[in-house]
Amino acid sequence: MVRRSLLFTPGDRPEMLRKAPQSGADTLVFDLEDAVSPDRKAEAREAVRSVLGDPAFDPSAEVCVRVNPSPDEYETDLEAILGTDADDIRLDGVLLPKADSQTDVRDLANALGTYGVSVPVFALIESARGVLAAPNIAAATATEALVFGAEDLAADLGAERTRGGEEVLYARQRVVVAAAAYGCNAIDTPVTAFEDETRIVEETAFAIKLGYDGKLAIHPAQVDPINEAFTPSEEEREWANAVLEAKREADADDRGVFEVDGEMIDAPLIERARRIRERSESVQGVE
């Protein structure tokens, strides 16, 4: 499915949780971790449970919960949300912060299974150990997306965050490569300067060049620029259609390479055209 934008919403703000679908984000992430202070965790769990269990809450967007990282904490989260009657809860996925190993994903999936729930796990890679283990984490059966978290990673490394992001570039690339190797979505780190639209546009464009499928958002104002950037342009769609039509003609003539508008087309460009068409069709399905 298309996951261009994943919007975090604090779990202890029920009015914001209910309004989140109006943002237009492809995936809503109700946050029980960083966005909630320790003394409001119980209140946040109750609020998230109330919204997800409300039959009137039925957004077209995917709905996920970011649980707390340690097993003791996320078991408390899951019990509060799923413990009464999991069948009545709208839950499409769970985001696991500080995923350091394949075992972390497996343990969370098993914990969900005790409630009869089997949903995708989004593994948030935000530590040095997590970056090194990214391929194994992506290979876990439950993992459907790798999510890159630059801020916590920089803190773990003792690195200084810069506008260019050179200090986390290796990790950012490793995460997207691991995701591609195992057929997972790759979701890029958020821009913390949520009022800086120029920066969100620039960072999203760079994430696309690296191969990311979507990007985290921490404010509704970031959703539209992210969605627009990850939606193939008319020019890209026309190019992809021309390439795929020319390929059909080349196949009929038993030609392996062919030309489109002065450009020699071979297998990698054919694959790019297919990806553009697939993304265009996916986006049309949610808009």
Side-chain angles (χ1 to χ4, degrees):
M1 66 177 299
V2 63
R3 294 186 175 108
R4 299 166 297 178
S5 53
L6 289 77
L7 175 65
F8 283 114
T9 303
D12 59 346
R13 299 290 299 275
E15 73 286 357
M16 293 178 65
L17 298 177
R18 293 184 182 278
K19 290 180 179 179
Q22 299 174 19
S23 68
D26 293 329
T27 300
L28 309 176
V29 182
F30 291 176
D31 194 2
L32 296 176
E33 195 214 14
D34 284 350
V36 180
S37 63
D39 61 347
R40 291 180 63 86
K41 296 288 187 180
E43 184 176 347
R45 294 179 182 117
E46 182 179 349
V48 169
R49 160 78 195 192
S50 177
V51 173
L52 296 184
D54 184 353
F57 182 77
D58 188 25
S60 58
E62 182 179 44
V63 183
C64 300
V65 171
R66 174 160 72 166
V67 294
N68 287 283
S70 75
D72 286 345
E73 291 175 307
Y74 69 60
E75 286 172 4
T76 301
D77 296 336
L78 297 180
E79 175 61 26
I81 295 170
L82 302 171
T84 304
D85 190 350
D87 291 338
D88 292 337
I89 297 299
R90 168 67 185 277
L91 183 64
D92 301 320
V94 175
L95 193 154
L96 175 64
K98 299 176 177 62
D100 285 345
S101 69
Q102 188 177 102
T103 300
D104 291 343
V105 175
R106 187 183 304 120
D107 289 347
L108 175 58
N110 289 338
L112 287 163
T114 63
Y115 299 96
V117 173
S118 177
V119 295
V121 172
F122 294 31
L124 182 51
I125 309 298
E126 51 184 345
S127 69
R129 291 184 63 187
V131 170
L132 293 180
N136 287 334
I137 294 170
T141 302
T143 303
E144 192 157 311
L146 293 187
V147 185
F148 178 52
E151 304 304 323
D152 281 297
L153 174 63
D156 191 37
L157 298 175
E160 179 183 351
R161 288 291 279 129
T162 64
R163 185 180 179 96
E166 295 87 356
E167 70 285 352
V168 295
L169 182 56
Y170 162 74
R172 200 176 184 185
Q173 292 174 311
R174 183 174 173 87
V175 167
V176 76
V177 169
Y182 289 95
C184 299
N185 283 148
I187 309 300
D188 191 40
T189 192
V191 173
T192 56
F194 62 86
E195 294 183 335
D196 190 342
E197 184 172 348
T198 298
R199 185 167 180 182
I200 186 68
V201 169
E202 291 175 351
E203 291 235 3
T204 305
F206 185 63
I208 292 170
K209 290 180 180 179
L210 291 179
Y212 276 90
D213 301 293
K215 192 168 181 65
L216 297 175
I218 60 171
H219 191 280
Q222 295 179 321
V223 170
D224 282 347
I226 291 173
N227 282 351
E228 182 177 354
F230 278 102
T231 300
S233 66
E234 182 176 353
E235 181 180 1
E236 288 175 314
R237 293 194 300 271
E238 289 177 352
W239 175 83
N241 290 335
V243 167
L244 296 177
E245 177 60 31
K247 181 185 184 304
R248 283 191 290 270
E249 296 174 0
D251 287 346
D253 295 336
D254 199 25
R255 290 181 287 117
V257 295
F258 51 92
E259 177 266 336
V260 173
D261 294 334
E263 180 180 25
M264 189 59 68
I265 304 297
D266 56 7
L269 290 178
I270 293 169
E271 180 60 26
R272 179 170 180 264
R274 285 177 175 151
R275 288 172 63 90
I276 289 172
R277 175 174 284 183
E278 289 173 2
R279 179 174 288 275
S280 297
E281 291 173 349
S282 296
V283 169
Q284 290 171 2
V286 299
E287 293 184 342

